[in-house]
Amino acid sequence: MQKKNRVILALDVTSGADAVKIVEAVKDHVDAVKINWPLILAAGPDIIRQISRHRDVICDMKIADIPYINGLIVNQAMSRGASAVICHGFTGEDSVKACVDAAKGQAFVVTEMSHPGGKQFTAPVADKLAALAKGAGARGIVAPATRPERIADLRKLIGDLEIISPGVGAQGGKATDALRAGADYIIVGRAIYEAKDPKDAARALSEEARQSL
Ligand code: O7E
């Protein structure tokens, strides 16, 4: 994944045709496209390959199973053209390791989630989840743009692992705050794909991101 725009598009639309149209429009202003269950279920898993023709695809299935099943899921995603996957860490080190191995290191681990409920169970164990990600050889972690102070805390624990950060725009987080706190990329969904002009919205976010560094 190139590190130019510092923006990852969270493409949570439920039509494959719309998804491809949006990617074609915004691709010069985003570094990767993250796809999640709504799009995979609506358009079918071949959407991974279709989007990967334009941009790197991060498959965000928030994988959370026993190691054997995690490995099977990651193999399916990678064989369809995914460049990276996202898994949960609460399942334990062996389960995370299975994702990391199957993805050849290209796995991100969710730590503290960005929504209000993320404070309930994920926040108290986020430091441990970040340490687990590092120990398991993950590429990076997912940390909340809605709480940039937590990005800064987690950055201290993980050294040079990457931080990808959702919560900018619709959830109230600010691109500048997240990046200055130590995020490598912001993850943005509705503020781009629901904008009147997604290309303009993506361009503005990538300009803000680059200027904040
Ligand atoms: O609020 P939006 O529309 O900008 O979308 C946010 C996206 O980030 C959405 O796909 C959601 O699944 C994801 N996300 C969070 O919003 N909060 C989290 O804590 C974690 C994620 C996530 O993507 O985890 C893996 C990166």
PDB file of all heavy atoms in Angstrom, residues 18 23 40 43 57 76 90-91 100 105 109 111 114-115 119 126 134 142 154 169 197 203-204:
ATOM      1  N   ASP A  18     -21.990   0.293  -7.539  1.00  0.00           N
ATOM      2  CA  ASP A  18     -21.691   1.589  -6.895  1.00  0.00           C
ATOM      3  C   ASP A  18     -20.268   1.576  -6.339  1.00  0.00           C
ATOM      4  O   ASP A  18     -19.542   2.562  -6.426  1.00  0.00           O
ATOM      5  CB  ASP A  18     -22.656   1.868  -5.735  1.00  0.00           C
ATOM      6  CG  ASP A  18     -24.047   2.210  -6.228  1.00  0.00           C
ATOM      7  OD1 ASP A  18     -24.213   2.390  -7.447  1.00  0.00           O
ATOM      8  OD2 ASP A  18     -24.970   2.278  -5.387  1.00  0.00           O
ATOM      9  N   VAL A  23     -14.777   3.737  -6.340  1.00  0.00           N
ATOM     10  CA  VAL A  23     -13.318   3.501  -6.342  1.00  0.00           C
ATOM     11  C   VAL A  23     -12.681   4.162  -7.560  1.00  0.00           C
ATOM     12  O   VAL A  23     -11.629   4.812  -7.450  1.00  0.00           O
ATOM     13  CB  VAL A  23     -13.000   1.991  -6.293  1.00  0.00           C
ATOM     14  CG1 VAL A  23     -11.515   1.745  -6.508  1.00  0.00           C
ATOM     15  CG2 VAL A  23     -13.436   1.400  -4.958  1.00  0.00           C
ATOM     16  N   ILE A  40     -19.176  -7.202   1.026  1.00  0.00           N
ATOM     17  CA  ILE A  40     -18.844  -8.583   0.633  1.00  0.00           C
ATOM     18  C   ILE A  40     -20.127  -9.426   0.519  1.00  0.00           C
ATOM     19  O   ILE A  40     -20.305 -10.195  -0.425  1.00  0.00           O
ATOM     20  CB  ILE A  40     -17.851  -9.216   1.633  1.00  0.00           C
ATOM     21  CG1 ILE A  40     -16.515  -8.447   1.612  1.00  0.00           C
ATOM     22  CG2 ILE A  40     -17.608 -10.693   1.292  1.00  0.00           C
ATOM     23  CD1 ILE A  40     -15.529  -8.840   2.703  1.00  0.00           C
ATOM     24  N   ALA A  43     -22.247  -7.959  -2.640  1.00  0.00           N
ATOM     25  CA  ALA A  43     -21.692  -8.083  -3.999  1.00  0.00           C
ATOM     26  C   ALA A  43     -21.018  -9.426  -4.242  1.00  0.00           C
ATOM     27  O   ALA A  43     -20.699  -9.761  -5.383  1.00  0.00           O
ATOM     28  CB  ALA A  43     -20.689  -6.950  -4.235  1.00  0.00           C
ATOM     29  N   VAL A  57      -6.586  -3.787  -1.491  1.00  0.00           N
ATOM     30  CA  VAL A  57      -7.804  -4.048  -0.721  1.00  0.00           C
ATOM     31  C   VAL A  57      -7.449  -4.625   0.655  1.00  0.00           C
ATOM     32  O   VAL A  57      -6.691  -5.592   0.749  1.00  0.00           O
ATOM     33  CB  VAL A  57      -8.729  -5.045  -1.459  1.00  0.00           C
ATOM     34  CG1 VAL A  57      -9.926  -5.417  -0.589  1.00  0.00           C
ATOM     35  CG2 VAL A  57      -9.207  -4.449  -2.781  1.00  0.00           C
ATOM     36  N   GLN A  76      -8.812 -17.542   2.052  1.00  0.00           N
ATOM     37  CA  GLN A  76      -9.853 -17.215   1.065  1.00  0.00           C
ATOM     38  C   GLN A  76      -9.744 -15.756   0.621  1.00  0.00           C
ATOM     39  O   GLN A  76      -9.858 -15.440  -0.564  1.00  0.00           O
ATOM     40  CB  GLN A  76     -11.251 -17.486   1.644  1.00  0.00           C
ATOM     41  CG  GLN A  76     -11.582 -18.959   1.795  1.00  0.00           C
ATOM     42  CD  GLN A  76     -11.597 -19.673   0.454  1.00  0.00           C
ATOM     43  OE1 GLN A  76     -12.120 -19.183  -0.542  1.00  0.00           O
ATOM     44  NE2 GLN A  76     -10.995 -20.853   0.398  1.00  0.00           N
ATOM     45  N   PHE A  90      -8.868 -10.310  20.774  1.00  0.00           N
ATOM     46  CA  PHE A  90      -9.356 -10.892  22.038  1.00  0.00           C
ATOM     47  C   PHE A  90      -9.416 -12.406  21.995  1.00  0.00           C
ATOM     48  O   PHE A  90      -9.562 -13.063  23.023  1.00  0.00           O
ATOM     49  CB  PHE A  90     -10.736 -10.314  22.422  1.00  0.00           C
ATOM     50  CG  PHE A  90     -11.833 -10.620  21.444  1.00  0.00           C
ATOM     51  CD1 PHE A  90     -12.436 -11.866  21.407  1.00  0.00           C
ATOM     52  CD2 PHE A  90     -12.268  -9.650  20.553  1.00  0.00           C
ATOM     53  CE1 PHE A  90     -13.448 -12.152  20.501  1.00  0.00           C
ATOM     54  CE2 PHE A  90     -13.271  -9.925  19.639  1.00  0.00           C
ATOM     55  CZ  PHE A  90     -13.869 -11.174  19.614  1.00  0.00           C
ATOM     56  N   THR A  91      -9.272 -12.968  20.800  1.00  0.00           N
ATOM     57  CA  THR A  91      -9.300 -14.425  20.650  1.00  0.00           C
ATOM     58  C   THR A  91      -7.989 -15.061  21.107  1.00  0.00           C
ATOM     59  O   THR A  91      -7.913 -16.270  21.252  1.00  0.00           O
ATOM     60  CB  THR A  91      -9.527 -14.774  19.163  1.00  0.00           C
ATOM     61  OG1 THR A  91      -8.626 -13.962  18.402  1.00  0.00           O
ATOM     62  CG2 THR A  91     -10.942 -14.479  18.742  1.00  0.00           C
ATOM     63  N   VAL A 100      -1.824 -13.762  10.931  1.00  0.00           N
ATOM     64  CA  VAL A 100      -0.555 -13.165  10.490  1.00  0.00           C
ATOM     65  C   VAL A 100       0.162 -14.128   9.544  1.00  0.00           C
ATOM     66  O   VAL A 100       0.647 -13.729   8.480  1.00  0.00           O
ATOM     67  CB  VAL A 100       0.337 -12.828  11.710  1.00  0.00           C
ATOM     68  CG1 VAL A 100       1.733 -12.419  11.274  1.00  0.00           C
ATOM     69  CG2 VAL A 100      -0.302 -11.722  12.555  1.00  0.00           C
ATOM     70  N   GLY A 105       2.136 -11.811   7.164  1.00  0.00           N
ATOM     71  CA  GLY A 105       2.466 -10.595   7.917  1.00  0.00           C
ATOM     72  C   GLY A 105       1.497  -9.440   7.700  1.00  0.00           C
ATOM     73  O   GLY A 105       1.517  -8.467   8.451  1.00  0.00           O
ATOM     74  N   VAL A 109      -4.538  -5.679  13.717  1.00  0.00           N
ATOM     75  CA  VAL A 109      -5.304  -6.162  14.864  1.00  0.00           C
ATOM     76  C   VAL A 109      -6.097  -5.005  15.473  1.00  0.00           C
ATOM     77  O   VAL A 109      -5.539  -3.937  15.748  1.00  0.00           O
ATOM     78  CB  VAL A 109      -4.351  -6.762  15.931  1.00  0.00           C
ATOM     79  CG1 VAL A 109      -5.132  -7.254  17.144  1.00  0.00           C
ATOM     80  CG2 VAL A 109      -3.525  -7.903  15.327  1.00  0.00           C
ATOM     81  N   THR A 111      -7.704  -2.800  18.229  1.00  0.00           N
ATOM     82  CA  THR A 111      -7.448  -2.586  19.662  1.00  0.00           C
ATOM     83  C   THR A 111      -8.701  -1.937  20.272  1.00  0.00           C
ATOM     84  O   THR A 111      -9.725  -2.591  20.403  1.00  0.00           O
ATOM     85  CB  THR A 111      -6.172  -1.747  19.891  1.00  0.00           C
ATOM     86  OG1 THR A 111      -6.321  -0.467  19.283  1.00  0.00           O
ATOM     87  CG2 THR A 111      -4.947  -2.460  19.351  1.00  0.00           C
ATOM     88  N   SER A 114     -13.669   2.571  17.994  1.00  0.00           N
ATOM     89  CA  SER A 114     -13.885   4.021  17.927  1.00  0.00           C
ATOM     90  C   SER A 114     -15.245   4.489  18.429  1.00  0.00           C
ATOM     91  O   SER A 114     -15.413   5.663  18.751  1.00  0.00           O
ATOM     92  CB  SER A 114     -13.733   4.475  16.470  1.00  0.00           C
ATOM     93  OG  SER A 114     -14.687   3.811  15.652  1.00  0.00           O
ATOM     94  N   HIS A 115     -16.220   3.595  18.485  1.00  0.00           N
ATOM     95  CA  HIS A 115     -17.583   4.012  18.857  1.00  0.00           C
ATOM     96  C   HIS A 115     -17.682   4.105  20.384  1.00  0.00           C
ATOM     97  O   HIS A 115     -16.782   3.613  21.105  1.00  0.00           O
ATOM     98  CB  HIS A 115     -18.610   3.030  18.290  1.00  0.00           C
ATOM     99  CG  HIS A 115     -18.454   1.622  18.789  1.00  0.00           C
ATOM    100  ND1 HIS A 115     -17.247   0.938  18.752  1.00  0.00           N
ATOM    101  CD2 HIS A 115     -19.335   0.763  19.371  1.00  0.00           C
ATOM    102  CE1 HIS A 115     -17.418  -0.259  19.268  1.00  0.00           C
ATOM    103  NE2 HIS A 115     -18.680  -0.384  19.658  1.00  0.00           N
ATOM    104  N   LYS A 119     -15.470   1.835  24.525  1.00  0.00           N
ATOM    105  CA  LYS A 119     -14.865   2.100  25.842  1.00  0.00           C
ATOM    106  C   LYS A 119     -15.189   0.991  26.849  1.00  0.00           C
ATOM    107  O   LYS A 119     -14.493   0.822  27.839  1.00  0.00           O
ATOM    108  CB  LYS A 119     -15.418   3.415  26.412  1.00  0.00           C
ATOM    109  CG  LYS A 119     -14.823   4.648  25.795  1.00  0.00           C
ATOM    110  CD  LYS A 119     -15.306   5.844  26.583  1.00  0.00           C
ATOM    111  CE  LYS A 119     -14.608   7.107  26.177  1.00  0.00           C
ATOM    112  NZ  LYS A 119     -15.205   8.272  26.814  1.00  0.00           N
ATOM    113  N   ALA A 126      -6.958  -2.550  25.614  1.00  0.00           N
ATOM    114  CA  ALA A 126      -6.347  -2.131  24.337  1.00  0.00           C
ATOM    115  C   ALA A 126      -4.823  -2.215  24.379  1.00  0.00           C
ATOM    116  O   ALA A 126      -4.189  -2.611  23.390  1.00  0.00           O
ATOM    117  CB  ALA A 126      -6.790  -0.718  23.978  1.00  0.00           C
ATOM    118  N   LYS A 134       1.978  -6.778  18.342  1.00  0.00           N
ATOM    119  CA  LYS A 134       3.422  -6.650  18.103  1.00  0.00           C
ATOM    120  C   LYS A 134       4.110  -8.010  18.243  1.00  0.00           C
ATOM    121  O   LYS A 134       4.887  -8.429  17.389  1.00  0.00           O
ATOM    122  CB  LYS A 134       4.005  -5.632  19.085  1.00  0.00           C
ATOM    123  CG  LYS A 134       5.415  -5.184  18.732  1.00  0.00           C
ATOM    124  CD  LYS A 134       5.821  -3.989  19.599  1.00  0.00           C
ATOM    125  CE  LYS A 134       7.308  -3.719  19.575  1.00  0.00           C
ATOM    126  NZ  LYS A 134       7.815  -3.299  18.276  1.00  0.00           N
ATOM    127  N   VAL A 142      -5.396  -1.266  14.681  1.00  0.00           N
ATOM    128  CA  VAL A 142      -6.483  -0.324  14.409  1.00  0.00           C
ATOM    129  C   VAL A 142      -6.753   0.428  15.703  1.00  0.00           C
ATOM    130  O   VAL A 142      -6.956  -0.199  16.749  1.00  0.00           O
ATOM    131  CB  VAL A 142      -7.759  -1.074  13.967  1.00  0.00           C
ATOM    132  CG1 VAL A 142      -8.849  -0.073  13.598  1.00  0.00           C
ATOM    133  CG2 VAL A 142      -7.466  -2.014  12.809  1.00  0.00           C
ATOM    134  N   LEU A 154      -0.981   4.243  22.429  1.00  0.00           N
ATOM    135  CA  LEU A 154      -0.726   2.956  21.773  1.00  0.00           C
ATOM    136  C   LEU A 154       0.533   3.031  20.911  1.00  0.00           C
ATOM    137  O   LEU A 154       1.297   2.062  20.825  1.00  0.00           O
ATOM    138  CB  LEU A 154      -1.949   2.527  20.950  1.00  0.00           C
ATOM    139  CG  LEU A 154      -3.174   2.191  21.816  1.00  0.00           C
ATOM    140  CD1 LEU A 154      -4.453   2.162  20.981  1.00  0.00           C
ATOM    141  CD2 LEU A 154      -2.995   0.847  22.525  1.00  0.00           C
ATOM    142  N   GLY A 169     -14.746  11.976  10.597  1.00  0.00           N
ATOM    143  CA  GLY A 169     -15.938  12.393   9.838  1.00  0.00           C
ATOM    144  C   GLY A 169     -17.210  12.029  10.564  1.00  0.00           C
ATOM    145  O   GLY A 169     -17.538  12.622  11.596  1.00  0.00           O
ATOM    146  N   ASP A 197     -19.910  14.819  -3.781  1.00  0.00           N
ATOM    147  CA  ASP A 197     -18.863  14.474  -4.741  1.00  0.00           C
ATOM    148  C   ASP A 197     -17.758  13.708  -4.005  1.00  0.00           C
ATOM    149  O   ASP A 197     -16.868  14.310  -3.405  1.00  0.00           O
ATOM    150  CB  ASP A 197     -18.300  15.748  -5.382  1.00  0.00           C
ATOM    151  CG  ASP A 197     -17.294  15.417  -6.481  1.00  0.00           C
ATOM    152  OD1 ASP A 197     -16.689  14.326  -6.430  1.00  0.00           O
ATOM    153  OD2 ASP A 197     -17.130  16.247  -7.382  1.00  0.00           O
ATOM    154  N   ARG A 203     -10.252  13.998  -1.971  1.00  0.00           N
ATOM    155  CA  ARG A 203      -9.118  14.893  -2.244  1.00  0.00           C
ATOM    156  C   ARG A 203      -8.897  15.840  -1.060  1.00  0.00           C
ATOM    157  O   ARG A 203      -7.767  16.036  -0.602  1.00  0.00           O
ATOM    158  CB  ARG A 203      -9.373  15.706  -3.513  1.00  0.00           C
ATOM    159  CG  ARG A 203      -8.169  16.578  -3.878  1.00  0.00           C
ATOM    160  CD  ARG A 203      -8.483  17.664  -4.885  1.00  0.00           C
ATOM    161  NE  ARG A 203      -8.826  17.164  -6.203  1.00  0.00           N
ATOM    162  CZ  ARG A 203     -10.004  17.345  -6.815  1.00  0.00           C
ATOM    163  NH1 ARG A 203     -10.962  18.019  -6.219  1.00  0.00           N
ATOM    164  NH2 ARG A 203     -10.222  16.856  -8.014  1.00  0.00           N
ATOM    165  N   ALA A 204      -9.981  16.400  -0.534  1.00  0.00           N
ATOM    166  CA  ALA A 204      -9.864  17.340   0.590  1.00  0.00           C
ATOM    167  C   ALA A 204      -9.267  16.641   1.812  1.00  0.00           C
ATOM    168  O   ALA A 204      -8.400  17.198   2.508  1.00  0.00           O
ATOM    169  CB  ALA A 204     -11.230  17.926   0.924  1.00  0.00           C
TER     170      ALA A 204
END
